[in-house]
Amino acid sequence: MPANPRPASPGQHKNSSQLDRELQSGKIFRLLVERIQDYAIFLLDTDGCVASWNPGAERMKGYRRDEIIGKHFSVFYTEPDLAIRKPWHELEVAAETGRYEDEGWRLRKDGTRFWANVIITAVRDENGTLLGFGKITRDLSERREAEQRYRLLIEGVTDYAIFSLDPHGVVTSWNTGAQRIKGYSAEEIVGRHFSSFYTPEDAETGLPRHVLKTAAETGHYAGEGWRVRKDGTRFWSSVVVTALRNEGGELIGFSKITRDMSDRKKLLDTIQQHADELELRVAEREQTNAELEAFSYSVSHDLRSPLRAIEGFADMLATDFGEQLPEQAKIYLEQIATATRRMNRLVQDLLEYSRLSRIELTPSAADIATVIENARQQVDEAMREHIHVTAPAGLQAHVHEPTLTQVIYNLIANGLKFHAAGKQPRVEVMAERLAGKIRIKVCDEGIGIAPEHHDRIFQVFERLHSTSKYPGTGIGLAIVKRGIQRMGGNISLQSGPGKGSIFTLELPAA
Ligand code: ADP
């Protein structure tokens, strides 16, 4: 069943017709005007004398009703405006065209100024006779101050070029930074198209158009590139363009912020150049290293068979003809055997070193206490009592276990070997976990190493002593360093002559 339209209540009906009657009589408008506080609304007679006054006018201008009624409205104007007869001119325009609008300084009763928006409307009767003028004044001082502050802020910025464009790309405002960076004064550039800032190449490919199109479509455009100053020189700039739209969404222009990044660009270019050079060097070095490693591998490999032959024949000579040989020949044979043994060690160590460089070292979780124990087991039984280990159970590193075992063995062996004359060797191995890393220290109380040799001893064949004093090949620490590096760890050394040595390894924890 369709609902009956609800009849208007009698009270409602009475109210709206009464409202209409009172509107006709103008009472409502009078009441409205009387209540309004934020606008000065008053009437002027045809000569410009104040004929009515609302509370808003009193609040804004400071005059009471009885003080101002009958006075000429030119009292609200400043000296310069009076000098050009502005009040009278405004009334003439309003009388002629029906309306006059202006923004400018006006005076309060106490002589202070405020920034006013003023609308003057001619009031005429049905026959068109001028009865007077209606005047509405709004105090815009606060807004003007905010705008002024904002404008001063933008204008004062010197590190950035901040300017605005109309929707077609014509420059409409220009700050100090823009003048400093681009070289044009505001008078020279306002009104010109912003494509003058682009290089001929960019202008040709339509970059300026693309920039505005992107900003209009997506809200903003950001980019870096070469721009041209007034004097034709180029600078590297970083640019942000933002589309400006009014409340209705209509495009009213663009703001553009440009920064001169030439110094940074120069720096980046230099860094890039260095990086390129470095990369080239590294590539060359890698090539040389690879060749050297291939060479040392084949040398070590190919050295082994003649070495085996020497060893074998010397052995046969001793076994088959030992009885017939004079004593001196036997001594020579013994020396041949010692030299070949040493040669064998050298070849083996070299092979191990180059193998460590070539093979894939796939890491996995390794128990550190076990690794240290395995390394200890490789030491001659008689010497093991001089090794003291402190490694908590469950400590795990992410390493290639055989390589780490070899590294620790080499360090322990050195610690035992380089002990001071007349003193018992003592090596201590300690392991701990520290901020995502496993730290292993191998310490001895031996002869120590002078600081100037700390780097050198990690290189192949670098030794500080004769083999007769301390036997060795000079490859042990090179293997240690290469192995640690290849497992993503690092090694450091604390030592001084007579002070013992501490080798510290840091490896990724598992
Ligand atoms: P090698 O031990 O076969 O001589 P390394 O490469 O292991 O070769 O060591 C190089 C040199 O560094 C040694 O010859 C020695 O002079 C010095 N060095 C290494 N470890 C120690 C240590 N723990 N104490 C004193 N000197 C050491």
Side-chain angles (χ1 to χ4, degrees):
M1 201 173 76
N4 282 331
R6 196 145 30 113
S9 76
Q12 224 177 8
H13 195 71
K14 186 176 143 251
N15 276 352
S16 50
S17 60
Q18 192 184 337
L19 193 68
D20 190 44
R21 262 202 315 281
E22 280 165 7
L23 266 176
Q24 296 290 343
S25 76
K27 189 173 156 199
I28 294 275
F29 285 121
R30 253 199 322 277
L31 277 173
L32 261 178
V33 170
E34 284 306 315
R35 300 268 151 82
I36 283 173
Q37 298 268 348
D38 295 335
Y39 291 81
I41 304 176
F42 53 98
L43 287 170
L44 303 176
D45 66 17
T46 48
D47 294 330
C49 291
V50 178
S52 80
W53 198 241
N54 81 331
E58 178 167 342
R59 203 168 74 100
M60 196 178 300
K61 309 213 185 209
Y63 294 96
R64 284 194 322 273
R65 199 182 161 82
D66 57 304
E67 285 175 323
I68 195 70
I69 297 278
K71 291 244 171 71
H72 194 264
F73 87 118
S74 56
V75 294
F76 309 139
Y77 285 75
T78 61
E79 277 296 331
D81 281 351
L82 291 176
I84 56 166
R85 301 194 57 76
K86 195 168 180 197
W88 291 273
H89 169 72
E90 286 179 1
L91 293 191
E92 272 164 34
V93 175
E96 251 168 56
T97 65
R99 190 174 184 277
Y100 176 89
E101 185 166 354
D102 181 37
E103 263 191 30
W105 292 114
R106 295 293 184 272
L107 293 180
R108 297 195 189 89
K109 185 185 157 191
D110 64 6
T112 54
R113 296 193 313 177
F114 67 99
W115 187 260
N117 169 278
V118 178
I119 298 171
I120 302 177
T121 325
V123 183
R124 293 177 188 277
D125 67 10
E126 303 89 61
N127 307 319
T129 315
L130 184 69
L131 300 177
F133 301 92
K135 199 171 172 207
I136 303 181
T137 306
R138 214 149 37 114
D139 184 350
L140 296 183
S141 304
E142 267 175 35
R143 198 186 75 184
R144 185 181 150 83
E145 230 167 76
E147 282 174 2
Q148 197 87 345
R149 260 202 309 272
Y150 183 66
R151 202 169 53 80
L152 286 174
L153 186 82
I154 300 272
E155 273 177 8
V157 171
T158 54
D159 290 342
Y160 293 82
I162 306 178
F163 54 100
S164 52
L165 307 174
D166 75 4
H168 307 290
V170 172
V171 178
T172 50
S173 78
W174 198 243
N175 81 333
T176 320
Q179 170 153 0
R180 192 184 68 85
I181 293 173
K182 308 210 184 216
Y184 297 96
S185 69
E187 297 79 58
E188 285 171 320
I189 200 68
V190 169
R192 276 177 61 184
H193 197 262
F194 86 117
S195 54
S196 354
F197 310 140
Y198 286 76
T199 62
E201 308 89 83
D202 283 347
E204 206 160 286
T205 57
L207 183 60
R209 214 174 329 119
H210 168 73
V211 166
L212 292 195
K213 191 164 169 270
T214 310
E217 282 170 7
T218 66
H220 80 281
Y221 167 93
E224 287 199 3
W226 290 111
R227 295 290 183 274
V228 183
R229 296 196 190 89
K230 183 185 160 192
D231 63 8
T233 55
R234 291 178 180 207
F235 66 100
W236 185 262
S237 77
S238 144
V239 178
V240 180
V241 179
T242 311
L244 304 175
R245 294 183 180 276
N246 64 16
E247 281 153 12
E250 186 194 344
L251 184 72
I252 53 169
F254 301 93
S255 74
K256 201 167 174 218
I257 304 184
T258 303
R259 231 176 122 184
D260 184 349
M261 306 288 266
S262 306
D263 289 347
R264 206 186 71 163
K265 169 84 175 152
K266 224 180 274 171
L267 206 68
L268 284 178
D269 284 352
T270 317
I271 292 173
Q272 187 59 47
Q273 205 179 323
H274 285 322
D276 289 349
E277 273 169 27
L278 207 64
E279 216 166 273
L280 201 72
R281 295 244 177 88
V282 169
E284 282 170 3
R285 168 92 44 107
E286 267 170 11
Q287 169 92 8
T288 325
N289 275 353
E291 280 166 9
L292 267 179
E293 267 149 26
F295 172 76
S296 68
Y297 180 72
S298 58
V299 164
S300 332
H301 229 249
D302 297 348
L303 277 178
R304 293 184 100 185
S305 55
L307 205 56
R308 266 198 301 274
I310 298 172
E311 236 177 355
F313 284 117
D315 215 28
M316 276 156 67
L317 204 60
T319 328
D320 296 353
F321 303 98
E323 301 299 307
Q324 293 139 267
L325 287 175
E327 267 322 291
Q328 192 58 38
K330 282 187 192 156
I331 294 172
Y332 291 156
L333 258 186
E334 192 45 48
Q335 279 172 354
I336 291 176
T338 313
T340 45
R341 267 200 303 278
R342 178 165 157 70
M343 187 75 168
N344 247 326
R345 265 248 61 85
L346 268 169
V347 170
Q348 247 169 37
D349 280 0
L350 257 186
L351 263 180
E352 181 52 35
Y353 179 70
S354 66
R355 196 184 67 90
L356 203 57
S357 310
R358 281 175 300 104
I359 60 159
E360 193 69 42
L361 300 183
T362 314
S364 60
D367 182 72
I368 293 302
T370 313
V371 172
I372 296 174
E373 180 51 26
N374 289 342
R376 203 178 75 95
Q377 287 300 325
Q378 290 181 24
V379 175
D380 276 349
E381 209 177 338
M383 295 297 281
R384 281 184 213 153
E385 59 174 297
H386 303 299
I387 307 168
H388 306 269
V389 179
T390 325
L395 213 58
Q396 297 215 317
H398 188 63
V399 290
H400 183 247
E401 192 169 330
T403 303
L404 184 60
T405 312
Q406 159 115 56
V407 162
I408 293 175
Y409 167 76
N410 286 6
L411 292 176
I412 293 176
N414 277 352
L416 295 172
K417 179 166 66 176
F418 295 103
H419 67 89
K423 209 176 155 190
Q424 283 286 344
R426 181 186 166 89
V427 171
E428 229 177 299
V429 186
M430 290 172 284
E432 58 180 344
R433 195 192 161 101
L434 230 138
K437 297 235 160 82
I438 299 295
R439 178 183 280 178
I440 303 169
K441 286 186 177 195
V442 181
C443 317
D444 64 58
E445 296 170 356
I447 57 172
I449 305 154
E452 63 267 30
H453 301 311
H454 284 192
D455 285 339
R456 180 155 91 83
I457 54 167
F458 289 99
Q459 286 166 24
V460 179
F461 299 140
E462 290 290 351
R463 315 193 68 244
L464 306 177
H465 314 276
S466 65
T467 35
S468 54
K469 197 163 180 199
Y470 293 104
T473 59
I475 303 175
L477 284 184
I479 289 175
V480 166
K481 182 151 193 186
R482 177 64 59 95
I484 291 294
Q485 278 177 340
R486 290 220 55 207
M487 290 188 291
N490 60 59
I491 179 163
S492 58
L493 167 62
Q494 281 168 275
S495 181
K499 291 189 179 149
S501 305
I502 303 173
F503 288 86
T504 306
L505 312 178
E506 274 185 347
L507 292 155

